Amino acid sequence: PLTKYVTAMSSASTTPPSVDKVDGFSRKSVRKAKQKRSQSSSQFRSQGKPIELTPLPLLKDVSAQEQPELFLKKLQQCCAVFDFMDTLSDLKMKEYKRSTLNELVDYVTVSRGYLTEQAYPEVVKMVSYNIFRTLPPSDSNEFDPEEDEPTLEASWPHLQLVYEFFIRFLESQEFQPSIAKKYIDQKFVLQLLELFDSEDPRERDYLKTVLHRIYGKFLGLRAFIRKQINNIFLRFVYETEHFNGVAELLEILGSIINGFALPLKAEHKQFLVKVLIPLHTVRSLSLFHAQLAYCIVQFLEKDPALTEPVIRGLLKFWPKTCSQKEVMYLGELEEILDVIEPTQFVKIQEPLFKQISKCVSSPHFQVAERALYYWNNEYIMSLIEENSNVILPIMFTSLYRISKEHWNPAIVALVYNVLKAFMEMNSTLFDELTSTYKSDRQREKKKEKEREELWKRLEDLELKRSLQSDGIIPT
Amino acid sequence: KNNVNIKEIGPGMAGADSDDSLYPIAVLIDELRNEDVQLRLNSIKKLSTIALALGVERTRTELLPFLTDTIYDEDEVLLALAEQLGNFTMLVGGPEYVHCLLPPLESLATVEETVVRDKAVESLRKISHEHSPVDLEVHFEPLVKRLASGDWFTSRTSACGLFSVCYPRVSSTVKAEIRQHFRTLCSDDTPMVRRAAASKLGEFAKVLELEYVKSDIISLFTALASDEQDSVRLLAVEAGVSIATLLPQEDLEALVMPTLRQAAEDKSWRVRYMVADKFSDLQKAVGPEITKNDLVPAFQNLLKDCEAEVRAAAANKVKEFCENLPEDSRETIIMTHILPCVKELVSDTNQHVKSALASVIMGLSTILGKDNTIEHLLPLFLAQLKDECPEVRLNIISNLDCVNEVIGIRQLSQSLLPAIVELAEDAKWRVRLAIIEYMPLLAGQLGVEFFDEKLNSLCMAWLVDHVYAIREAATCNLMKLVEKFGAEWAQNTIVPKVLGMANDPNYLHRMTTLFCINALSEVCGQEITTKHMLPVVFKMSNDQVANVRFNVAKSLQKIGPVLDSNCLQTEVKPVLEKLASDQDMDVKYFAQEAISGSSTGLFMEKQCALFPLSKKCFRDTWLPKCFVQLFTKQTILLFILTPNLPAEPSCSVYHHLLNLSLGSHI
């Protein structure tokens, strides 16, 4: 059709251009219909032979003495892993395994006396065979968890039941950690943690529960688990910026921090300052920010003395170009300020309010608005009031300027309220600042000019040196 | 601590030159401490200037201690600092004093942020070469040891990159210590450190004596290659390649092959991917015999891997692998082992695999020769030309030149045309853009007749595409076609159609006419431009849309150099002057720009520039560029060579010159 259009145009070349009513920017590209959810699995595909499982009787159909033996046999059968990318293969056997797993789930929930010592290694083996696998590469080249649909695990019909079974097993009244710890060891936990990178949110949800149970029941593994989570986070922050399970791990940590004994160990403080704070720098912060902020506040409630390093850390990593993140930071700061002790507040108020003053005058109205909302918070207001002689001079310039210049009327209105509040708080200081506003600006300008001149002189000097070294100007 | 120091020193003491007393360190350090990060960053980036002002001694005794103490800053600032310090040797007084730079760099090498740390290591590596052997043992090596046994993983990670630069130049006792440290880091508790060690293993092996490569490195390599984390194992693959190049042929089988074979079958696809990605290097490292016996079956497996990512990486290497096969058995191996796998990949389920293959498959034709190409490869090319994924087709088309040399493009032209037409109308504009870029090449290979008959209409259709980038590329394409086929061809086939669009009701299309004229006037020459294009441009100066009018001004400026001066004065100037009084401010601006714009205006005042030029200036690249610009803009240059000036530094001419060089021309 385009070709026709052009030839038509050249034949009509004598007619003068008509009045421009044609919209030059026609939109021809139409968004494609939403793709169906993608599936993937990286179970090493069994190449070749179909899997044959000999059907066994139901557990409830055999006598109580025979049950443990049959239970083990069923566990062994469930070690067989099927290829779910091939939807047509082994249909019968897949269904058989599914029903067997279902039966096992029910069995561990209701039965008593089934957990013999021999069962432990078999359970762990069955779980390991099924869940431990190298996760498949992401379908889209750059998987963006905020935009793209996650790739779902194709073998979920079996995997879900295995997880379900494992959780019931861990929660079972007969479960004895002292026996299980021989099989649920560091290596097991390490592999479990790697699975948190799964793109499938359903799997991560199960993993969260599993890890939580293991952390709760195996005291000997706790330090190890914390250290490995540490490593995962450090790699995530400084090496890959990619790990799907950060929010889930943080959620577990939130409850772990809650249980820390006081005084906090150096290890825990280091974790806060060197791992949790740097987590704020990651691009995909929005995906786990709520959980992260919760962890931070947990720490501060445990030990208020950590407030200063935390706030200084946040200020150091303050986002400079991403307004969305800035809003998140401001939200987190408010959560921190909600629990801050007045003695701690005094320690960080200067750098803190220098940043807030910058936020208030941000041209992005959401940032400015979020910062100005602090003045609606009664506790924060009371802290500001107590320290108005320090905070008011820091805030004044921004507020004064914004009240005249900001493009967004809502912000201007908010600023007026804040200025009014300050005026009521400390009218003497307020009047003083108003009257010196102009001369302060001039002094700043003068300083700026001096800086420029200094650098100009320095550059002259450098040029002279380079000319001298070339022998063009005599020394 | 530093504050006190600074105040005591006060102004008037800086540097050796009396002139430099204008720069008290207090002022300078204030700049480095400015509250505004941007200003602080600017100051750090000019740290060399500050050091210059201070002179070498005060840089050593005052500036560097200050920097070492104030390491806590924004990463952005630290990064700039780490970079600066790598080039600071002369500013602290030369190699004799280079070790003064170590303390600040050591702190920077322990920072959390990876980019800062890496930059600090890079700078440390750089200045390590400037240390004398004695200084290296007294100052540098102890630093490496401190880092290697640091508490936090960051310093240990940084240490990994420093072993190889000091190892060759220290005594044998120290060498033994360094080897021991490296060994410890390879089995570090944190995977971050093991990764750093694994990534430097190959580099370290290169500086080691062969006996230690065999005794130490191999066992480290084997251990890292079976690490519990796949992120460590995959880094060992690359090290394996480097190690293989160091060992004599007879040791390869026993020392590295078992580990490499295991990597090629690793349970993690990332490791297998790495093997595929490094396959050509590996092949070169292990030589023809092992290639024949081991690598061929391994390569087949990678081409058939269950993960698409791995298959794509392997597919990418098909041509290189085949090229580097030993000549005596090359054809047999390709025909019996590789080609069957390649055939399967042509109909792979994953488009990345197919497009990786398409980007190299044409290269096989030169290796296999005419007959094999026609019999075995041509069907594959044709199948890929019909592939559903545009990228696959595009990759085939973009590599046509390889086949052209072997069997000629005509063999393909039947299938080529539908493929090109379909790509030309693809819904994704990036695909259309890509095919446009190959048009000139295709036109050259297919000849003017074929082009006029089949492709010309496509090229014209792109001019009215709804995406600007396509229209822009289309105009550029026309220019390249005219370069190929000549001005006469242009006048007969392209120009009428382009000029016809000047009457289009859509102003975007009318502007396209102007853009085409901009691109074509030079290649078409003065006659066609004056006779055919210029009248149309003039006519468009009355367009109702301001965008068209100011583009007329821009076009006139652009084609001005092609026209003769009489035409410029009598015809172009009046039109521009009329536009310069347009009611639209943009039209006015561009017309004014075209008449007498500061650098490119057609009728601008003659200018005079003074340039004092140092020898260094002549070496800089900006200068030739600057000259060309100035000459073409009809500026007269006046050179004054400074050696001819009076020798007293107080001479006022000399000050003027300096000021001039900082400003622009007058």
Side-chain angles (χ1 to χ4, degrees):
Chain A
L2 287 177
T3 333
K4 237 189 262 163
Y5 182 56
V6 171
T7 27
M9 271 359 286
S10 50
S11 65
S13 60
T14 41
T15 52
S18 61
V19 180
D20 231 305
K21 286 253 169 74
V22 180
D23 174 15
F25 301 95
S26 60
R27 277 190 188 279
K28 290 198 181 147
S29 56
V30 187
R31 281 222 146 208
K32 266 199 301 182
K34 212 170 184 192
Q35 284 179 334
K36 68 169 184 142
R37 290 197 134 194
S38 56
Q39 287 207 327
S40 178
S41 179
S42 67
Q43 304 281 24
F44 237 137
R45 264 148 246 174
S46 51
Q47 287 161 345
K49 279 185 277 173
I51 300 163
E52 274 305 326
L53 301 175
T54 328
L56 296 169
L58 293 178
L59 282 158
K60 67 175 165 56
D61 292 345
V62 300
S63 68
Q65 295 104 306
E66 287 171 287
Q67 279 186 6
E69 178 70 28
L70 186 58
F71 179 60
L72 291 186
K73 277 193 182 149
K74 295 207 172 217
L75 283 173
Q76 277 154 11
Q77 280 198 328
C78 288
C79 286
V81 175
F82 292 91
D83 180 3
F84 272 82
M85 291 309 279
D86 185 347
T87 45
L88 296 174
S89 70
D90 304 316
L91 282 178
K92 249 191 185 154
M93 287 299 121
K94 280 179 188 166
E95 174 52 29
Y96 172 70
K97 180 174 168 184
R98 200 192 59 78
S99 64
T100 307
L101 283 168
N102 255 329
E103 192 195 359
L104 291 176
V105 171
D106 291 342
Y107 185 70
V108 291
T109 321
V110 297
S111 310
R112 293 284 170 269
Y114 72 96
L115 256 183
T116 58
E117 243 189 283
Q118 298 98 296
Y120 284 87
E122 292 302 323
V123 167
V124 175
K125 190 174 137 201
M126 191 278 277
V127 171
S128 304
Y129 269 58
N130 279 281
I131 66 170
F132 294 152
R133 65 212 193 274
T134 311
L135 294 168
S138 191
D139 237 10
S140 42
N141 257 354
E142 285 260 306
F143 174 67
D144 178 356
E146 278 172 288
E147 293 277 328
D148 303 333
E149 287 281 336
T151 309
L152 298 180
E153 174 57 51
S155 61
W156 192 242
H158 285 175
L159 211 51
Q160 176 180 21
L161 294 171
V162 174
Y163 277 118
E164 195 67 52
F165 167 78
F166 191 41
I167 290 171
R168 306 277 174 104
F169 167 75
L170 290 170
E171 289 174 347
S172 151
Q173 285 179 341
E174 299 188 3
F175 179 75
Q176 286 179 288
S178 54
I179 303 172
K181 75 177 179 196
K182 273 184 264 173
Y183 312 104
I184 297 179
D185 54 4
Q186 295 195 346
K187 187 156 187 257
F188 184 92
V189 167
L190 199 63
Q191 287 173 288
L192 197 68
L193 283 168
E194 274 173 19
L195 289 177
F196 275 82
D197 194 19
S198 168
E199 251 179 61
D200 194 328
R202 302 168 302 182
E203 178 166 21
R204 295 202 303 271
D205 209 46
Y206 271 106
L207 284 165
K208 194 172 67 187
T209 316
V210 169
L211 186 67
H212 201 250
R213 296 290 172 275
I214 292 179
Y215 191 88
K217 292 189 192 277
F218 297 85
L219 302 185
L221 285 172
R222 287 186 176 181
F224 180 79
I225 292 174
R226 287 198 305 269
K227 199 170 85 187
Q228 294 310 323
I229 293 180
N230 220 314
N231 287 341
I232 288 174
F233 284 169
L234 286 170
R235 177 162 191 234
F236 172 64
V237 174
Y238 293 117
E239 292 181 14
T240 60
E241 288 222 349
H242 176 92
F243 192 83
N244 291 315
V246 176
E248 283 81 3
L249 290 176
L250 283 169
E251 218 171 298
I252 298 173
L253 283 167
S255 62
I256 292 178
I257 295 164
N258 218 334
F260 282 162
L262 285 172
L264 288 177
K265 285 193 218 160
E267 174 216 325
H268 300 324
K269 289 185 190 168
Q270 192 180 50
F271 176 68
L272 170 68
V273 175
K274 298 221 171 190
V275 183
L276 287 186
I277 299 290
L279 264 178
H280 288 84
T281 61
V282 174
R283 199 176 35 179
S284 54
L285 176 66
S286 64
L287 292 172
F288 54 85
H289 181 251
Q291 290 84 348
L292 180 58
Y294 178 78
C295 286
I296 301 274
V297 174
Q298 289 291 307
F299 260 114
L300 299 185
E301 287 199 282
K302 280 262 159 195
D303 184 357
L306 291 167
T307 313
E308 191 182 348
V310 164
I311 292 187
R312 283 193 189 275
L314 287 178
L315 293 176
K316 181 181 166 184
F317 294 132
W318 200 270
K320 301 201 171 44
T321 53
C322 182
S323 315
Q324 258 174 316
K325 263 176 129 185
E326 227 176 329
V327 174
M328 285 184 252
Y329 272 54
L330 285 165
E332 184 173 344
L333 263 187
E334 185 165 0
E335 282 181 52
I336 294 173
L337 289 174
D338 270 332
V339 300
I340 200 167
E341 288 185 0
T343 47
Q344 296 296 325
F345 181 80
V346 177
K347 285 188 199 160
I348 44 84
Q349 55 180 351
E350 272 188 63
L352 177 62
F353 276 87
K354 275 180 189 160
Q355 183 57 55
I356 293 175
S357 136
K358 275 186 214 156
C359 294
V360 162
S361 52
S362 166
H364 196 300
F365 81 99
Q366 283 172 336
V367 175
E369 186 182 58
R370 188 67 193 82
L372 289 164
Y373 279 164
Y374 282 12
W375 274 262
N376 294 340
N377 182 315
E378 271 178 39
Y379 182 61
I380 298 179
M381 263 306 259
S382 71
L383 291 168
I384 293 176
E385 191 159 4
E386 270 167 50
N387 301 286
S388 64
N389 54 336
V390 180
I391 294 169
L392 180 50
I394 298 173
M395 295 296 301
F396 185 79
T397 315
S398 292
L399 291 173
Y400 194 82
R401 195 166 48 80
I402 288 305
S403 72
K404 298 202 178 341
E405 284 175 11
H406 206 281
W407 62 271
N408 184 305
I411 296 299
V412 175
L414 281 169
V415 165
Y416 267 118
N417 286 335
V418 172
L419 280 173
K420 207 173 124 224
F422 271 129
M423 200 154 63
E424 284 159 8
M425 252 177 234
N426 195 337
S427 58
T428 341
L429 181 57
F430 191 89
D431 290 344
E432 206 176 293
L433 288 168
T434 321
S435 60
T436 55
Y437 179 80
K438 267 205 178 129
S439 56
D440 283 348
R441 293 297 75 70
Q442 270 163 358
R443 204 164 47 239
E444 268 169 35
K445 269 190 194 147
K446 196 173 152 235
K447 221 175 138 191
E448 185 54 32
K449 224 175 149 191
E450 281 170 5
R451 284 196 61 254
E452 266 171 35
E453 272 169 18
L454 169 76
W455 279 107
K456 224 175 149 207
R457 286 208 309 273
L458 282 171
E459 271 152 28
D460 284 2
L461 173 82
E462 190 172 41
L463 189 90
K464 196 174 82 182
R465 288 281 172 105
S466 81
L467 292 178
Q468 278 175 356
S469 67
D470 282 349
I472 287 174
I473 315 184
T475 40
Chain B
K1 181 180 75 186
N2 277 300
N3 262 331
V4 181
N5 242 338
I6 292 150
K7 279 184 189 135
E8 281 167 2
I9 294 157
M13 314 266 289
D17 267 284
S18 59
D19 275 1
D20 307 343
S21 56
L22 301 161
Y23 319 105
I25 188 166
V27 179
L28 299 177
I29 280 181
D30 262 356
E31 284 300 291
L32 294 173
R33 266 201 295 231
N34 198 304
E35 226 171 81
D36 187 328
V37 194
Q38 191 55 50
L39 295 178
R40 217 155 62 223
L41 189 59
N42 291 346
S43 311
I44 284 279
K45 282 185 176 158
K46 292 180 195 154
L47 198 63
S48 58
T49 311
I50 293 179
L52 198 65
L54 289 171
V56 292
E57 202 182 321
R58 300 188 58 200
T59 299
R60 286 199 301 268
T61 55
E62 291 164 35
L63 183 62
L64 287 177
F66 165 76
L67 291 174
T68 314
D69 285 355
T70 49
I71 281 308
Y72 186 87
D73 202 334
E74 302 250 358
D75 293 326
E76 197 73 23
V77 177
L78 298 184
L79 176 68
L81 179 59
E83 185 169 12
Q84 290 278 313
L85 291 176
N87 302 316
F88 241 58
T89 310
M90 290 321 287
L91 294 163
V92 292
E96 202 182 326
Y97 295 100
V98 67
H99 59 85
C100 299
L101 298 172
L102 296 179
L105 281 172
E106 181 174 352
S107 314
L108 289 168
T110 63
V111 164
E112 259 85 30
E113 178 52 54
T114 327
V115 278
V116 175
R117 222 164 53 223
D118 288 351
K119 192 52 94 180
V121 171
E122 193 186 315
S123 289
L124 279 169
R125 286 166 70 111
K126 210 162 162 187
I127 64 167
S128 73
H129 304 297
E130 282 153 354
H131 282 74
S132 68
V134 177
D135 280 350
L136 206 62
E137 277 193 29
V138 177
H139 299 288
F140 198 88
E141 202 268 342
L143 170 144
V144 179
K145 268 197 267 183
R146 277 196 301 279
L147 288 175
S149 42
D151 277 342
W152 189 239
F153 79 96
T154 52
S155 69
R156 302 201 298 279
T157 312
S158 295
C160 293
L162 296 172
F163 293 117
S164 65
V165 289
C166 51
Y167 189 85
R169 295 170 60 212
V170 292
S171 67
S172 56
T173 16
V174 180
K175 278 185 177 176
E177 282 174 34
I178 292 179
R179 286 197 304 274
Q180 179 52 43
H181 277 294
F182 194 82
R183 215 175 300 140
T184 316
L185 293 182
C186 282
S187 54
D188 196 279
D189 200 26
T190 28
M192 279 78 75
V193 178
R194 293 203 303 280
R195 275 196 287 277
S199 68
K200 300 291 176 196
L201 183 65
E203 176 190 291
F204 189 55
K206 280 187 190 146
V207 299
L208 245 60
E209 298 79 359
L210 187 59
E211 51 173 314
Y212 295 120
V213 174
K214 287 189 196 174
S215 62
D216 284 29
I217 296 289
I218 295 297
S219 63
L220 296 176
F221 166 60
T222 318
L224 290 168
S226 41
D227 195 279
E228 62 196 8
Q229 305 242 334
D230 61 357
S231 55
V232 179
R233 295 202 299 277
L234 68 87
L235 290 168
V237 172
E238 205 174 350
V241 174
S242 310
I243 296 168
T245 51
L246 300 171
L247 292 172
Q249 190 69 32
E250 64 269 21
D251 289 330
L252 286 175
E253 181 51 48
L255 298 180
V256 294
M257 283 319 290
T259 312
L260 286 174
R261 266 194 290 267
Q262 168 200 320
E265 288 166 8
D266 197 284
K267 68 177 195 302
S268 162
W269 63 269
R270 289 187 189 84
V271 179
R272 301 197 303 276
Y273 170 89
M274 203 58 168
V275 175
D277 195 47
K278 301 278 166 229
F279 217 79
S280 305
D281 300 331
L282 183 61
Q283 185 185 10
K284 279 175 210 152
V286 297
E289 272 316 300
I290 295 181
T291 297
K292 268 194 266 183
N293 301 334
D294 276 281
L295 295 194
V296 172
F299 194 58
Q300 282 175 295
N301 282 339
L302 292 170
L303 289 172
K304 288 189 259 184
D305 197 279
C306 63
E307 284 306 344
E309 233 80 350
V310 180
R311 292 200 300 279
N316 253 322
K317 301 284 165 191
V318 163
K319 183 195 157 206
E320 252 182 291
F321 182 73
C322 294
E323 239 170 16
N324 296 328
L325 284 170
E327 218 164 310
D328 56 345
S329 48
R330 184 189 292 155
E331 198 176 318
T332 341
I333 294 178
I334 298 177
M335 297 307 289
T336 52
H337 299 293
I338 307 298
L339 207 56
C341 302
V342 169
K343 276 183 188 156
E344 270 177 49
L345 291 184
V346 167
S347 49
D348 199 280
T349 49
N350 183 291
Q351 64 170 48
H352 298 296
V353 177
K354 287 187 291 186
S355 91
L357 181 69
S359 66
V360 297
I361 191 174
M362 310 289 269
L364 291 179
S365 49
T366 23
I367 305 171
L368 288 176
K370 193 174 173 184
D371 293 340
N372 277 331
T373 302
I374 293 176
E375 196 184 333
H376 298 285
L377 294 176
L378 199 57
L380 304 181
F381 299 160
L382 295 176
Q384 291 215 297
L385 267 180
K386 295 194 191 86
D387 198 278
E388 54 178 11
C389 163
E391 211 180 313
V392 176
R393 283 173 268 149
L394 206 57
N395 282 347
I396 291 289
I397 290 173
S398 58
N399 287 298
L400 279 175
D401 42 338
C402 317
V403 192
N404 199 21
E405 289 160 21
V406 184
I407 56 167
I409 206 166
R410 291 277 164 182
Q411 293 264 14
L412 282 171
S413 56
Q414 279 307 323
S415 317
L416 212 47
L417 194 65
I420 295 173
V421 173
E422 217 178 300
L423 288 170
E425 288 164 0
D426 195 279
K428 294 198 187 75
W429 67 268
R430 282 178 201 283
V431 174
R432 300 201 294 277
L433 186 64
I435 189 73
I436 293 176
E437 276 158 14
Y438 292 112
M439 263 307 153
L441 186 82
L442 284 170
Q445 287 174 351
L446 293 166
V448 67
E449 257 170 63
F450 188 91
F451 181 86
D452 279 346
E453 195 182 319
K454 317 268 190 191
L455 300 177
N456 191 16
S457 55
L458 281 180
C459 291
M460 302 315 289
W462 282 320
L463 289 176
V464 291
D465 198 285
H466 60 280
V467 173
Y468 175 75
I470 300 298
R471 298 199 296 275
E472 193 191 22
T475 56
C476 183
N477 173 44
L478 287 187
M479 183 184 78
K480 287 183 188 153
L481 288 174
V482 176
E483 279 171 359
K484 270 213 158 70
F485 295 151
E488 199 186 326
W489 174 83
Q491 197 186 345
N492 294 331
T493 45
I494 295 185
V495 174
K497 287 181 189 168
V498 164
L499 297 182
M501 283 165 56
N503 300 307
D504 196 291
N506 186 334
Y507 81 98
L508 293 172
H509 297 177
R510 298 204 293 280
M511 291 205 311
T512 305
T513 299
L514 290 171
F515 299 147
C516 287
I517 288 174
N518 295 347
L520 292 175
S521 65
E522 205 182 321
V523 280
C524 285
Q526 198 184 63
E527 202 197 320
I528 296 178
T529 307
T530 319
K531 242 190 181 159
H532 300 280
M533 298 179 179
L534 200 57
V536 176
V537 179
F538 286 157
K539 206 170 132 203
M540 292 172 88
S541 71
N542 298 317
D543 201 287
Q544 275 145 325
V545 178
N547 298 45
V548 177
R549 293 202 301 280
F550 74 62
N551 271 299
V552 165
K554 282 167 138 182
S555 283
L556 287 173
Q557 181 173 7
K558 185 95 191 182
I559 64 178
V562 182
L563 305 170
D564 71 46
S565 58
N566 183 32
C567 168
L568 270 180
Q569 287 295 339
T570 59
E571 295 184 55
V572 175
K573 204 171 180 183
V575 174
L576 282 174
E577 275 164 354
K578 202 186 97 203
L579 288 172
S581 56
D582 198 282
Q583 31 175 282
D584 185 278
M585 60 186 273
D586 293 318
V587 178
K588 260 191 216 168
Y589 171 80
F590 284 110
Q592 205 58 84
E593 235 353 64
I595 296 169
S596 58
S598 61
S599 58
T600 53
L602 294 169
F603 308 97
M604 88 187 161
E605 300 289 316
K606 302 283 179 265
Q607 294 192 352
C608 162
L610 280 173
F611 272 96
L613 299 168
S614 76
K615 282 184 223 156
K616 186 165 164 283
C617 294
F618 279 103
R619 287 196 300 270
D620 286 343
T621 47
W622 64 268
L623 197 71
K625 248 193 257 163
C626 191
F627 276 152
V628 172
Q629 243 177 11
L630 287 168
F631 279 126
T632 52
K633 303 318 177 260
Q634 309 165 4
T635 306
I636 297 168
L637 290 176
L638 178 58
F639 292 88
I640 300 178
L641 290 174
T642 39
N644 300 333
L645 290 170
E648 306 87 70
S650 60
C651 169
S652 63
V653 181
Y654 149 70
H655 281 295
H656 273 300
L657 276 174
L658 270 183
N659 287 334
L660 276 172
S661 66
L662 293 171
S664 57
H665 48 250
I666 48 167

